[in-house]
Structures are given as C-alpha cells and as structure tokens.
Amino acid sequence: MKAVVQRVSEARVEIDGAVVGRCGAGLMILVCAMQGDTEANAEALAGRIAKLRVFRDEAGRMNRSIRDTDGAALVVSQFTLAADTARGNRPGFAAAAPPETGEPLYEHFVAALRAEGVPVETGRFGADMKVHLVNDGPVTIPMER
C-alpha cells in the first residue's frame, strides 16, 4: 500500500457539496492499495502511521505521534498514488489494485488505524471528492508498506 501523510490543522472532504468527513488537528491520509497488497500490508501501514512522530513536542521537535496528541485522521482513497509516469505524458495506473480488491483493503486500513486508537473519518471509495486541508508545517510524508 502507498500513502501520503500530511500533518494538518484541519481537513475535510466533500461530495456534491456535502461534507462527508472531516478532522481538526491531525493527519490527512491519502491511501492506495496496490496490486498484490494484503490485509497484512494495510495493518502494517496503519501501525506505522499511528506511531509516526510528526507532531511537535514541548521543545518544538517532531517527536510525538497522532496518538500522543489525541489527534484525528481523515483517510481518503486515492488510486492515483499508483501512477506510473515513466513513459509518455499520460500516467498509467495498472499498479493499483482493482476496485474489487482495493476497496476492501482501503476499508481494512481504516479499521486497522481505528484499532490503533486513532479517531478516523473518511471519504467515499471511488467517488469524485473535493478535499480541503490546511497543511501544518508543511509536513508531507510519502509512505509504503
């Protein structure tokens, strides 16, 4: 699985003008299931993100995790993270898991992150979404598992 993790002061996702998920201070996580990914990959990535120390401590260092700060996460499926731009001008997405396996893996990732003690809201798999966020820092970290 691939993810782009952004530390945010707030984030929300809208579908057809209606807010379907939001969080305050915490993490905006774009996630993509790749061909060959398993539930174990989803669990491992969720565990790493829950423990990722990207929040400031008293000394101003990035030394605290989302669990340490009682933050929340907004998780949005994003198959375009699988983009292959090696040839031509149009990205290819063949490395992304097909929807029939990608959606259950996305849902498993969300459940695994919740099991790590992180409050999670989501977008809607496969929907045309508008994502709004205020990147804090900015801090943006790509991750794979």
Side-chain angles (χ1 to χ4, degrees):
M1 294 192 84
K2 288 187 175 188
V4 172
V5 179
Q6 297 175 297
R7 186 178 73 191
V8 297
S9 53
E10 62 182 271
R12 73 180 186 278
V13 62
E14 297 176 359
I15 300 173
D16 296 327
V19 175
V20 296
R22 68 171 28 149
C23 73
L27 297 175
M28 171 73 216
I29 305 167
L30 304 173
V31 66
C32 176
M34 306 292 289
Q35 291 278 352
D37 279 344
T38 65
E39 289 183 348
N41 295 110
E43 292 163 9
L45 184 60
R48 288 186 62 212
I49 291 172
K51 296 173 188 82
L52 186 66
R53 298 186 308 174
V54 295
F55 294 92
R56 293 180 185 95
D57 64 12
E58 303 77 30
R61 289 194 177 116
M62 288 197 307
N63 204 26
R64 300 176 74 206
S65 72
I66 191 168
R67 295 187 311 185
D68 298 330
T69 63
D70 294 323
L74 177 60
V75 178
V76 173
S77 63
Q78 177 120 24
F79 82 93
T80 60
L81 293 180
D84 177 0
T85 58
R87 298 182 331 179
N89 295 317
R90 178 181 291 164
F93 302 104
E100 57 272 10
T101 56
E103 185 171 10
L105 286 170
Y106 164 74
E107 295 295 341
H108 194 78
F109 171 82
V110 169
L113 193 57
R114 286 180 175 138
E116 290 282 344
V118 178
V120 177
E121 291 203 18
T122 67
R124 189 174 308 139
F125 188 91
D128 182 16
M129 297 174 274
K130 306 296 183 218
V131 179
H132 306 264
L133 63 106
V134 178
N135 194 319
D136 179 19
V139 174
T140 301
I141 300 175
M143 298 180 73
E144 285 188 53
R145 202 65 176 159

